[in-house]
Amino acid sequence: MSQADLRERVTFFNTMSKSKELFQPRLSDGTVSMYVCGVTVYDYSHIGHARVYVAFDVLYRFLTSACGYDVTYVRNFTDIDDKIIARAQQAGVETSELTERFIDEFNKDMAALNVLPPALEPRATAFVPQMIATISDIIANGHAYAVEGGDVFFDVASLPGYGRLSGRQQEDNRAGERVAVDGRKRSPADFALWKAAKPGEPAWPSPWGPGRPGWHIECSSMIRELMGPVIDIHGGGRDLVFPHHENELAQSQAACGCGHRHGGHQGNGGQQGGESTSGAAGDAPQQQLHNGTDFVRYWLHNGFVNVDSEKMSKSLGNFFTIRDVLARYHPLALRWFLVSSQYRAPLNYSDKGLEEASGRLYYVAQARLDVVEALRAAGEEGQRAVAEAEALMAAATSTPPTPSATAAAAPQEGAAVAAAHSSKGKGKSGAAAAAAALAAGPALLSEVLTALADDLNTPAAVGALSAPLRTINDLLTTKAGRKRPDRLAVLAQLHVAMGRVMQLLGMELAAGGAGDGAQAGGLAASAAALEQLLQELRALALVRLGMTEEQVQAAIRERTEARAAKDFARSDAIRMELAAQGVLLLDTPEGTTWRPGSAASL
């Protein structure tokens, strides 16, 4: 599937329209702008954060690597907030020291989860002057008011259409900020744009006196400053739809004077990702905005994380940080668990779910390692098969295929023809299998891309691996599979295709990706990385089981001695004891190894 074909299929569920929509970026030059609300940095990040940023990382990878868009991805840090101030005072440190620490800890968590860094990571405190300018525009346009004491509130009733993102009616709305209702407000639903300084709190000078920005204004101002008047995608957790994103939308609409003729701000088209503001003198700002009022074309929100079917929260005592989980499970196992559910669906966090994800990841990694070892065992023929598979995949996803790629793919076409001839007289199933051999790799990648294009359907993308895994098992373990003339060609295609699928899902390993398979050290590097992953998965399984590698090896030695003495009853008993604990023994010509399994106690 070419990038052009793929782009025409991409749909996302837009929270604004409450429906799936074809994704059409605002510009036709192949650029896309995406803003995702970041963390408030006063503590370690939790599983809910992991879900948000893994989901939008997959989206980022899909839009760039698969669709070929040039994506400007921005994710902020909220580094001034009531909770930050309270935690800093409790710890006896400056707010900047606290936020710096937890920004660093957040980045460590994201790196562990293989989340790619955004292009920009603005901090709220670096954009306070821009926030003051935005608030001034909102006041000038008649949508905000200052009160005695130096606070500034947004006048919700002044803006037609407030509540259209969340679907809430005016009478349903409550205060949008994290404080009790203030009697100085015109309406309980009005929310703070500027908060007057309190003793011992960070403050900035403003036209209304010293103070600090409210929570919601930061994203509106940073988007306007860094990305321009309109962005393609705005993302975050479902809990942000109201009040945060509803208030962002209101602020941005009010600041530009949309629906009014106040003049004022004409956009920020000179900034990266912004539309050009050039045109006839006197053009109204709303002409630059989506639907004349909106600064976001597609609102995307991921579902809640529940813990054993209850919403995760500190008050319920079912709150888990990313660090808590990674002490017991591999980061890629957590990532596999997260992408196994569609991003909009509620996700039930449980040890059982993580065990299943860890086991599935182990199975896939072992299958990929077995393929790599089979290709390495074939020597130059195996390396050549990988190079041809790379060319075939390139030809299948490019528009049009290059002559060199077509030429390089020709040997695999010949292998498929040979397989077709060898299948004569073996029935329709054999002929069909041979005919499909040439498309094994492209077919897998096409199925995955089709799934991701359908509102980022990662469960379907993960499920697409099942049939190739069965094919691998057949080619490596059955007599008929080992004799297939196209065996190496199919294995090489699946090696390359599965590598690219894992890259799209963010499950690729640190070294030896599929892209270097044709290089002299590519297969060796892939084997080393996969073996390291398997070793790390085994080590963490032992942590969960309360066992050590030495204990397992001692049991294996005891079993080997029992088998040598023909004490098969003892040998079977040891195997069963280990299996009951979650350690499954595997007897191979090279000796006995083990892999994690499902323990009765788990």
Side-chain angles (χ1 to χ4, degrees), residues 2-80:
S2 69
Q3 286 185 344
D5 291 337
L6 181 61
R7 289 184 182 187
E8 293 179 355
R9 299 187 181 195
V10 178
T11 59
F12 297 128
F13 184 91
N14 191 343
T15 305
M16 179 64 79
S17 67
K18 311 297 187 292
S19 64
K20 281 186 184 180
E21 297 180 10
L22 184 67
F23 179 59
Q24 296 177 314
R26 72 198 187 288
L27 300 178
S28 59
D29 61 358
T31 60
V32 169
S33 52
M34 180 171 75
Y35 185 96
V36 176
C37 287
V39 290
T40 301
V41 280
Y42 70 98
D43 205 343
Y44 291 103
S45 297
H46 54 69
I47 295 303
H49 294 133
R51 188 179 197 196
V52 176
Y53 303 121
V54 166
F56 285 98
D57 181 65
V58 175
L59 176 59
Y60 183 37
R61 292 168 182 270
F62 173 66
L63 291 174
T64 54
S65 298
C67 297
Y69 287 117
D70 179 11
V71 180
T72 298
Y73 178 18
V74 181
R75 186 184 67 210
N76 72 300
F77 286 113
T78 296
D79 60 345
I80 184 65

Side-chain angles (χ1 to χ4, degrees), residues 37-38 165 215 235-246 301 304:
C37 287
L165 178 64
W215 174 35
R238 182 181 170 189
D239 56 318
L240 297 184
V241 175
F242 184 88
H244 186 51
H245 287 169
E246 191 73 71
H301 295 94
F304 290 126

Side-chain angles (χ1 to χ4, degrees), residues 32-38 53 56 59 71-78 118 120-124 127 131 215-224 226-227 231-236 240 244-245 248 295-296 298-300:
V32 169
S33 52
M34 180 171 75
Y35 185 96
V36 176
C37 287
Y53 303 121
F56 285 98
L59 176 59
V71 180
T72 298
Y73 178 18
V74 181
R75 186 184 67 210
N76 72 300
F77 286 113
T78 296
L120 297 171
E121 295 184 282
R123 303 183 184 194
F127 288 83
M131 297 178 203
W215 174 35
H216 309 297
I217 195 66
E218 64 181 78
C219 292
S220 295
S221 297
M222 288 189 287
I223 289 172
R224 178 165 129 162
L226 296 173
M227 308 177 80
I231 61 173
D232 291 304
I233 297 171
H234 196 327
L240 297 184
H244 186 51
H245 287 169
E248 270 191 61
F295 78 117
V296 174
Y298 301 87
W299 292 91
L300 274 60

Side-chain angles (χ1 to χ4, degrees), residues 220-452:
S220 295
S221 297
M222 288 189 287
I223 289 172
R224 178 165 129 162
E225 177 69 18
L226 296 173
M227 308 177 80
V230 183
I231 61 173
D232 291 304
I233 297 171
H234 196 327
R238 182 181 170 189
D239 56 318
L240 297 184
V241 175
F242 184 88
H244 186 51
H245 287 169
E246 191 73 71
N247 292 347
E248 270 191 61
L249 177 60
Q251 291 165 165
S252 296
Q253 181 177 347
C256 80
C258 305
H260 303 272
R261 301 297 295 187
H262 294 294
H265 177 63
Q266 288 291 318
N268 195 25
Q271 295 293 337
Q272 184 177 15
E275 290 179 313
S276 172
T277 59
S278 61
D283 281 352
Q286 58 264 35
Q287 290 179 338
Q288 303 167 28
L289 299 180
H290 182 49
N291 293 331
T293 59
D294 299 346
F295 78 117
V296 174
R297 294 173 61 83
Y298 301 87
W299 292 91
L300 274 60
H301 295 94
N302 64 274
F304 290 126
V305 174
N306 300 320
V307 178
D308 292 327
S309 301
E310 286 190 302
K311 187 178 184 298
M312 185 180 71
S313 69
K314 289 184 178 179
S315 61
L316 293 175
N318 61 357
F319 183 88
F320 297 97
T321 68
I322 296 172
R323 298 292 172 88
D324 293 336
V325 177
L326 297 191
R328 302 175 65 239
Y329 292 95
H330 197 281
L332 293 186
L334 174 56
R335 187 167 178 123
W336 187 283
F337 171 73
L338 294 172
V339 302
S340 294
S341 293
Q342 206 269 348
Y343 77 97
R344 288 191 294 112
L347 176 65
N348 189 46
Y349 174 86
S350 66
D351 280 348
K352 179 181 178 182
L354 276 170
E355 286 291 342
E356 291 174 351
S358 187
R360 190 61 175 170
L361 175 62
Y362 192 97
Y363 178 77
V364 172
Q366 184 64 65
R368 293 183 67 198
L369 178 60
D370 292 343
V371 170
V372 170
E373 294 297 358
L375 292 168
R376 293 179 71 194
E380 292 184 2
E381 190 177 355
Q383 291 188 21
R384 185 166 56 251
V386 173
E388 293 165 358
E390 289 279 4
L392 181 65
M393 294 292 291
T397 56
S398 63
T399 306
T402 62
S404 59
T406 303
Q412 292 210 358
E413 295 178 4
V417 171
H421 282 296
S422 69
S423 66
K424 287 182 178 179
K426 297 181 180 179
K428 293 182 179 179
S429 60
L438 182 61
L444 169 59
L445 187 58
S446 178
E447 184 176 353
V448 169
L449 293 177
T450 298
L452 295 179

